[in-house]
């Protein structure tokens, strides 16, 4: 019995997951492309395709229809792809991830600045080589939070098929955001087309404590992407990028420690930066700005890890 107790104690003392090595040195941001601001005038989501090298997916913030945009890495080759279905309330993010044996593009109608929505939704479309002007989605998954409405701009698909969201504050609390909450929809839930799926809450990320040297808007999550192996992720805020050096599928640590289980990238931020994607080889990331209404283009910046 004592041996069993000691073994249990050792297991309990083991970290939630084996941490990946976080980046110790980031490059300075370089201009990777200038993206046309018509029709992408409020860029809020960004994803780099691994199946189709050189392809980027984009989406606009609230007010746009059920659609996404495609460019190449240089910002050219613009294509608009419309999806059949009702106009969304507030698409804030898109992500690529598994959908059975295929890879799908997930468009997340998850924005809720007022904190008043009873449910959110994800529209799935299989990734393919070429798209028509209008496509029919594979399915739409409806979901709600177990503890009331939440405002979200950041979500991503894990290679195991689960979907993770990281919350931002509703407008009434935006100047005092507090920790961000992390929720999950399982791969099985994302296969459902009937009923409303319920997110599972996994924990919290205390960004105000981790980024205490930044003003409050530097703590607000605006974008998320997960690496190919699932062992790390990048979380964008309005003033920083936080590399999470742990597998979200294995839990959220109680404490974030820079240089240990997270790495923080700080640079002169882009105005209203809300979109991030890992590079296809996970060597760094791209991020851009939604503040492009008065300019012909908006900048897409590249940052690479110089050492782990």
């Amino acid at each position: 019995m004592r041996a069993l107790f000691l073994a249990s104690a050792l297991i309990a003392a083991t970290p939630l997951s084996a941490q990946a090595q976080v980046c110790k040195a980031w490059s300075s941001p370089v201009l990777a492309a200038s993206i046309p601001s018509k029709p992408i005038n409020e860029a809020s989501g960004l994803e780099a395709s691994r199946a189709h090298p050189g392809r980027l997916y984009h989406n606009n913030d609230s007010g746009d229809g059920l659609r996404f945009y495609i460019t190449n890495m240089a910002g050219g080759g613009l294509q608009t792809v419309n999806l059949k279905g009702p106009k969304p309330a507030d698409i804030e993010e898109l992500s690529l991830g598994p959908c059975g044996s295929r890879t799908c593009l997930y468009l997340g109608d998850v924005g809720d600045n007022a904190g008043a929505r009873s449910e959110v939704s994800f529209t799935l479309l299989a990734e393919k080589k070429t798209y028509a002007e209008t496509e029919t989605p594979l399915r739409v998954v409806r979901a709600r939070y177990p503890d009331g409405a939440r405002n979200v701009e950041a979500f991503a698909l894990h290679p195991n098929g689960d979907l993770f969201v990281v919350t931002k504050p509703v407008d009434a609390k935006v100047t005092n955001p507090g920790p961000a909450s992390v929720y999950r929809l399982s791969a099985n839930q994302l296969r459902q087309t009937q009923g409303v799926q319920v997110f599972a809450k996994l924990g919290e990320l205390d960004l105000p404590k981790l980024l205490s040297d930044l003003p409050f808007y530097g703590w607000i999550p605006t974008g998320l992407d997960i690496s190919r192996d699932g062992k790390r992720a990048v979380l964008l805020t309005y003033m920083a990028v936080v590399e999470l050096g742990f597998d979200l599928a294995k839990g959220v640590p109680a404490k974030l420690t820079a240089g240990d289980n997270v790495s923080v990238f700080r640079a002169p931020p882009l105005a209203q930066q809300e979109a991030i994607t890992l590079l296809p080889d996970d060597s760094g990331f791209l991020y851009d700005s939604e503040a492009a209404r008065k300019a012909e283009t908006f900048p897409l910046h590249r940052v690479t890890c110089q050492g782990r």
Side-chain angles (χ1 to χ4, degrees), residues 68 81 83 103-106 123-127 131 135-138:
F68 62 93
V81 181
L83 300 181
T103 297
C104 279
L105 191 64
Y106 291 70
T123 300
L124 283 65
L125 180 71
E127 188 182 27
Y131 290 99
E135 295 278 351
T136 301
L138 180 65

Side-chain angles (χ1 to χ4, degrees), residues 41-305:
N41 61 5
E42 200 174 353
S44 185
L46 178 66
E47 193 72 30
S49 176
R50 295 187 175 102
H52 304 285
R55 177 186 289 182
L56 293 175
Y57 296 102
H58 312 259
N59 73 273
N60 277 328
D61 203 337
S62 58
D64 205 355
L66 188 59
R67 62 176 63 95
F68 62 93
Y69 307 92
I70 299 173
T71 69
N72 58 34
M73 285 285 189
L78 176 66
Q79 180 185 2
T80 300
V81 181
N82 298 287
L83 300 181
K84 294 179 180 178
K87 184 176 180 178
D90 189 358
I91 290 183
E92 288 283 358
E93 172 79 291
L94 51 74
S95 182
L96 282 169
C99 55
S101 60
R102 294 181 285 184
T103 297
C104 279
L105 191 64
Y106 291 70
L107 276 75
D109 186 359
V110 293
D112 189 10
N113 289 330
R117 297 180 64 176
S118 60
E119 62 182 67
V120 297
S121 67
F122 299 90
T123 300
L124 283 65
L125 180 71
E127 188 182 27
K128 55 185 182 178
K129 185 176 181 180
T130 59
Y131 290 99
E133 182 178 343
T134 301
E135 295 278 351
T136 301
L138 180 65
R139 59 179 169 270
V140 176
V141 179
R142 299 160 57 206
R144 66 174 178 84
Y145 299 97
D147 46 4
R150 294 290 180 267
N151 193 17
V152 169
E153 290 193 12
F155 80 84
L157 270 292
H158 190 278
N160 71 3
D162 291 352
L163 183 151
F164 294 86
V165 305
V166 180
T167 64
K168 63 172 289 189
V170 298
D171 283 350
K173 297 181 179 180
V174 74
T175 59
N176 185 26
S181 296
V182 181
Y183 295 85
R184 175 175 58 197
L185 283 179
S186 71
N188 180 60
Q189 288 176 296
L190 292 168
R191 289 191 286 269
Q192 309 306 313
T193 57
Q194 301 297 319
V196 180
Q197 306 304 306
V198 180
F199 284 95
K201 186 173 181 178
L202 301 183
E204 294 183 334
L205 302 173
D206 195 348
L207 299 176
K209 184 174 182 179
L210 175 70
L211 305 173
S212 60
D213 58 312
L214 298 179
F216 71 87
Y217 46 87
W219 311 333
I220 298 175
T222 59
L224 179 70
D225 201 14
I226 297 174
S227 63
R228 289 176 298 173
D229 61 8
K231 293 182 180 179
R232 61 172 59 90
V234 285
L235 180 66
L236 182 70
T237 77
Y238 284 123
M239 294 190 72
V241 176
V242 180
E243 181 187 42
L244 308 177
F246 49 87
D247 189 336
L248 286 168
K250 297 182 179 179
V252 177
K255 182 180 180 181
L256 303 180
T257 304
D260 179 18
N261 59 3
V262 297
S263 173
V264 179
F265 168 79
R266 294 176 175 85
L270 297 174
Q272 201 78 5
Q273 59 189 33
E274 291 199 2
I276 189 168
T277 181
L278 284 162
L279 293 169
D281 63 358
D282 291 339
S283 62
F285 55 85
L286 302 168
Y287 67 110
D288 64 24
S289 164
E290 73 166 20
R293 293 182 182 273
K294 297 181 180 180
E296 292 185 358
T297 62
F298 60 92
L300 176 71
H301 282 181
R302 178 190 295 112
V303 175
T304 56
C305 180

